[in-house]
Amino acid sequence: MRKKITLKQIARELDVSVSTVSKALSGSKEISEDTTQKIQAFAKLYNYRPNNIALSLKNRKTKTIGILIPEIVHHFFSTVIRGIELIANRRGYNVIVGLSNESFSKEIINMEMLANGSIDGFILSISKETLLKQDYHHFNATINQGIPIVMFDRVVNEVNCDKVIVDDFNGSVKAVKKLIENNCKNIALITTMDYVSVGRLRTQGYIEALEEHKIFADSNLILKIDDSLDVENHLEVLENEIERFFKTNNTIDGVFAVNELYAVTAMKVARKLGLSIPEDIQVIGFTDGVLSKHATPSLTTVSQHGQKMGEQAANLLIDRLEAIDSESDQYIVNDNPKHDFIKIVIETELIERESTK
Amino acid sequence: MRKKITLKQIARELDVSVSTVSKALSGSKEISEDTTQKIQAFAKLYNYRPNNIALSLKNRKTKTIGILIPEIVHHFFSTVIRGIELIANRRGYNVIVGLSNESFSKEIINMEMLANGSIDGFILSISKETLLKQDYHHFNATINQGIPIVMFDRVVNEVNCDKVIVDDFNGSVKAVKKLIENNCKNIALITTMDYVSVGRLRTQGYIEALEEHKIFADSNLILKIDDSLDVENHLEVLENEIERFFKTNNTIDGVFAVNELYAVTAMKVARKLGLSIPEDIQVIGFTDGVLSKHATPSLTTVSQHGQKMGEQAANLLIDRLEAIDSESDQYIVNDNPKHDFIKIVIETELIERESTK
DNA sequence: TTTCAACACGAAAACGTTTTCGCTAAGAAT
DNA sequence: ATTCTTAGCGAAAACGTTTTCGTGTTGAAA
C-alpha cells in the first residue's frame, strides 16, 4: 500500500527543504537545474500529486461546484447535471450533488452542509416545498456569506443572483399556436397547480396564444392536476382524472400538457376512448424526455434544452467565481452590491413528431 | 457581506486563545462554565461553523464519496445515485459525481482528479471502453493508494474490491421461464454485443432457461445489436434491424430484451407488423425504468432495484472506510491484503404488466 | 582587497482546525 | 510554611501546500 507521497517526504528523501521541492516542481528558476531535475524525477517516480485539500485550504477555494436539485431520477434534471459537469470539468472544476427531494428542510441542510467551505458556489433549482413556503432566507444567507448562486428553471425574483431559465411562456405559445394552425378547434390544457412558477408561465402562454387568435379560453378546457399527490406511483388517479376530463369535454381535438407524463397519459386515455392520434386529437407536451421520444405515437414536444441550461449555468457561475478572484486584488468593488445579475433565457424548440399532423 | 467567521476571529474578539475557543465549542470541561457560555453565545450569534476543508486536512479524510459512472441521463444510473446519496447523507457524507461518458480516458482523468485528496472512496461502474480494453490498472492503482472502491453493476474479476451486482443471470432465467409458462413457443432474445458483462450474463440466462425446459436455443432467434453506434439518436436503425429480424423469424411469439429500449422498440415494430401484444407476441424487458411503466401496453420487466444497489454500495463503502479508521489505532492489520471483499447480489424482481399474459 | 549583485536555497507564515503538553495560580494536604 | 493537586487556560504542533523574505556563497566589479 503506497500511500500518496507529500512534499515533506520528498524533501526529506532528497535532503532539501520543502520550499525547494515546491519550487522545483513548479519549475521556478530560483532553483538550479540540477536540483530541479533531481526533484522532478523523484516526484515522477513516486507519482507525486499535490493534495487537493491542502490546496483548497491555502487558496481558500475548492474548485468545486455544488449542485442542489429536487430530484435526480428525472430526465430534465439529469440532462442539466450533464451540462454542468461537462463545462465544470472542462474548466477544472468538480461537481458535488445534493438532493433536496422537494423538501424545504433537506434543501437547507444540504446547503449548510456544503456552504462550510466545501464548495465555491451553487447551481440550484428550488424545491416545491420551498416555493410553497416562499421562504428564501437560506439562499440570501449563503449569498451574503460570499457564496454565489446560479438558479435554473425554478427561479424566484426574491433572490438576487444569476439565473438561467427556459422561455416557458413563449414555449407554450409556440405549442398552442401549432395546434391552432393544425386546425384544432377545442384545445385543452393539462397543467399543475400554480405555485411552481414554470407551471404558471406555461398556463399563461396557453391563454395568450388562444387570445391572439381570438379564441375564447374556456376554463372548462383547463385541467389542473394536484401534483402534491405522488402521481408517479398512482398512475390510475391521473388516468381517471384525464378520462373524466375528456368525457365531459368530448369536443377536445387538441391537448397541450405541461409535462411529458401528462401528455403521454393523455394519449393513452385518448386511445382507450377510441380516439386516434393525431387524426382525432393532437397532443403536444412540454419537456422533451425519453418518454416523448419512445412513446407510440411519438410525442411532439417543446424541448427545454436541459443540457444547454446546465452549460450556461456552469459558465455563469465559474465566470463569476473567477471575476471575484481577480476583483479581490483591486481597490473598490468588494462592497459593491450592484453587481448586475444576469438572467439567461434559453429559447425553447418545438420538436414535431407523430402526435401532431 | 458577512464572511464566515473563524476560531481565530472569535478568539481575538473575546480575548482568549484559539485553543480555548475550540475546546469551549466542543464542550470540553477543561474550560470554565463562564468562558464556555460566553464563547458559545458569541459563536451562535455569528453563526460559526467549522470550516470543512480545514477539518478534512486535519483529519485526513473528507467525508465525501466519489461516484464515477458512464452516464447520468439514464434511469438506472440516476436511481443508483439516489440510493447512494440517501445513505451517504444519512451517514454524514457528501457525494461528488464524475461522468466517464463511457470513455476510458475520461474515467482515468476523473479518477485522478478525485483521488488527490478530494474523496475518501469510490463507488463506480465501469465504462464500456474500459471493458473493451480490459485495462484496469487505474482501479488497482487507486486501491493501492489506500482508497477503497466499490463497484456496482458493471464489475470485473480483475479488480479486488467490494462489489454490488444484480443477479443478471437469474433475472433472465426468471423472465424467459415466465414466457415459457405463458406458452410461448418461439422465444427471441434481443441483446447487445458480449463485451459488457451484464449483456453476456443475461444471454446466458436466456439459454439456461430454454435448456432447462428442453427447448433448443436457436441462434437465429438471437439478435445482437451493435451498441457502439449511438442507438438513442438513430432509432430507425434499431427499428429496421428488429423489423428485419421479426420478418425472417415470423414464428416468434415471445421476446426477451436485455434493456428497456430494445423491448419497447420491439413492441413498436410488432404492432407495426400487425401483431397485437400480448395476444400474438409477449414481451419482457430488463431494467425497470420510466419507459416500461408508461409504454402502451406497459412492459413487463425485470427490475434491477437500482436504488437498493446504490444504498448497499454506499453502506459497503462507508463501513469499510470506518473500519479502516478504527484499524489504524490497532497493531497489525495495516499490511494485511486479505481483507475479504464482499460481493452483494441483489435479487431481481419480475414486474408483470400488460405486455405478458 | 573590498563591495556588490546574482544565485541557490531555507525558514517561516499562512490557510482553519484539533489536540497534546505546559504553565500559573489557588486551594488542600502535610 | 512547604508541597501537592487541580482547575483553567495558552502555546505549539500537525495536516500539505505556496510564497515571501531572508541568508550565505560565489564570482565579478571597483
Side-chain angles (χ1 to χ4, degrees), chain B residues 88-200:
Chain B
N89 253 21
R90 186 178 296 162
R91 299 185 67 172
Y93 282 73
N94 278 318
V95 156
I96 187 164
V97 173
L99 307 180
S100 69
N101 206 18
E102 303 286 10
S103 138
F104 177 69
S105 63
K106 279 208 69 183
E107 191 171 85
I108 294 190
I109 293 176
N110 257 304
M111 281 210 90
E112 293 189 341
M113 189 150 174
L114 297 181
N116 298 320
S118 302
I119 53 117
D120 295 339
F122 279 108
I123 296 179
L124 61 83
S125 197
I126 309 179
S127 84
K128 278 185 196 168
E129 199 187 344
T130 307
L131 288 170
L132 255 176
K133 277 188 134 84
Q134 307 197 28
D135 182 345
Y136 310 120
H137 76 275
H138 49 307
F139 301 133
N140 289 313
T142 74
I143 291 175
N144 283 334
Q145 274 174 36
I147 303 178
I149 292 182
V150 175
M151 293 191 170
F152 71 91
D153 197 50
R154 301 192 196 158
V155 306
V156 106
N157 283 328
E158 286 86 339
V159 182
N160 244 286
C161 64
D162 294 324
K163 286 157 193 163
V164 182
I165 56 173
V166 81
D167 192 348
D168 289 286
F169 180 80
N170 281 316
S172 294
V173 172
K174 259 191 246 179
V176 175
K177 277 191 180 168
K178 181 77 199 173
L179 290 174
I180 296 174
E181 285 165 16
N182 282 5
N183 254 320
C184 293
K185 300 303 176 194
N186 294 288
I187 302 175
L189 171 70
I190 305 182
T191 183
T192 59
M193 295 298 178
D194 274 351
Y195 62 92
V196 175
S197 49
V198 297
R200 193 175 49 243

Side-chain angles (χ1 to χ4, degrees), chain A residues 82-341:
Chain A
R82 189 211 259 156
I84 297 175
E85 218 266 348
L86 181 72
I87 298 298
N89 253 21
R90 188 178 295 162
R91 298 184 68 172
Y93 282 74
N94 279 319
V95 155
I96 188 165
V97 174
L99 307 179
S100 70
N101 206 18
E102 302 286 9
S103 140
F104 177 68
S105 63
K106 279 208 68 182
E107 189 171 86
I108 293 190
I109 293 177
N110 257 304
M111 282 210 88
E112 292 189 341
M113 189 150 173
L114 296 181
N116 298 320
S118 302
I119 53 116
D120 295 340
F122 279 108
I123 297 179
L124 59 84
S125 196
I126 309 179
S127 83
K128 278 185 194 167
E129 198 188 347
T130 307
L131 288 170
L132 256 176
K133 276 189 135 84
Q134 306 198 29
D135 181 346
Y136 311 120
H137 76 273
H138 49 305
F139 301 133
N140 289 313
T142 74
I143 291 175
N144 283 334
Q145 276 175 34
I147 303 178
I149 292 182
V150 176
M151 293 190 172
F152 71 91
D153 198 52
R154 301 191 195 159
V155 306
V156 107
N157 282 329
E158 284 87 341
V159 181
N160 244 286
C161 64
D162 294 324
K163 286 156 193 163
V164 182
I165 55 173
V166 81
D167 192 347
D168 289 286
F169 180 80
N170 280 316
S172 295
V173 172
K174 258 189 246 180
V176 176
K177 277 192 179 167
K178 181 76 197 173
L179 291 174
I180 297 173
E181 285 165 14
N182 282 5
N183 254 320
C184 294
K185 299 304 174 193
N186 294 288
I187 302 175
L189 171 69
I190 306 182
T191 183
T192 58
M193 296 296 179
D194 274 351
Y195 62 91
V196 174
S197 50
V198 296
R200 192 173 51 244
L201 286 170
R202 292 174 194 171
T203 303
Q204 287 171 2
Y206 161 85
I207 294 173
E208 168 72 17
L210 292 182
E211 288 180 347
E212 265 186 47
H213 284 77
K214 317 276 186 225
I215 301 176
F216 172 63
D218 182 355
S219 66
N220 287 323
L221 290 183
I222 299 185
L223 174 61
K224 293 199 181 190
I225 308 283
D226 179 6
D227 63 348
S228 66
L229 44 84
D230 178 11
V231 169
E232 267 292 331
N233 294 318
H234 299 284
L235 266 184
E236 339 75 58
V237 182
L238 181 61
E239 287 178 20
N240 291 337
E241 278 212 59
I242 296 181
E243 184 167 347
R244 200 148 30 94
F245 178 63
F246 278 176
K247 281 181 175 163
T248 56
N249 299 278
N250 57 14
T251 58
I252 293 174
D253 55 0
V255 173
F256 174 55
V258 298
N259 62 44
E260 258 194 342
L261 181 56
Y262 294 176
V264 296
T265 310
M267 291 205 298
K268 190 172 193 170
V269 172
R271 211 146 9 139
K272 184 175 162 195
L273 298 179
L275 302 168
S276 53
I277 305 165
E279 291 75 16
D280 302 330
I281 185 168
Q282 301 182 49
V283 181
I284 299 185
F286 213 109
T287 302
D288 183 44
V290 48
L291 272 183
S292 310
K293 203 163 173 181
H294 300 295
T296 12
S298 58
L299 182 67
T300 296
T301 60
V302 180
S303 166
Q304 292 180 96
H305 298 296
Q307 173 157 351
K308 193 186 272 182
M309 288 186 78
E311 293 173 13
Q312 301 265 25
N315 275 322
L316 224 47
L317 180 62
I318 297 178
D319 284 349
R320 193 165 291 279
L321 288 173
E322 307 196 330
I324 294 174
D325 246 36
S326 44
E327 265 175 24
S328 58
D329 299 335
Q330 282 164 347
Y331 40 117
I332 332 175
V333 208
N334 245 346
D335 286 284
N336 181 355
K338 253 291 164 266
H339 282 291
D340 310 302
F341 289 105

Side-chain angles (χ1 to χ4, degrees), chain A residues 51 53-54 118, chain B residues 51-64 117-118 120:
Chain A
N51 179 307
I53 296 294
S118 302
Chain B
N51 181 306
N52 251 328
I53 296 293
L55 284 179
S56 295
L57 184 58
K58 178 134 224 340
N59 302 329
R60 279 124 122 243
K61 60 186 153 190
T62 60
K63 292 261 179 185
T64 353
S118 302
D120 295 339

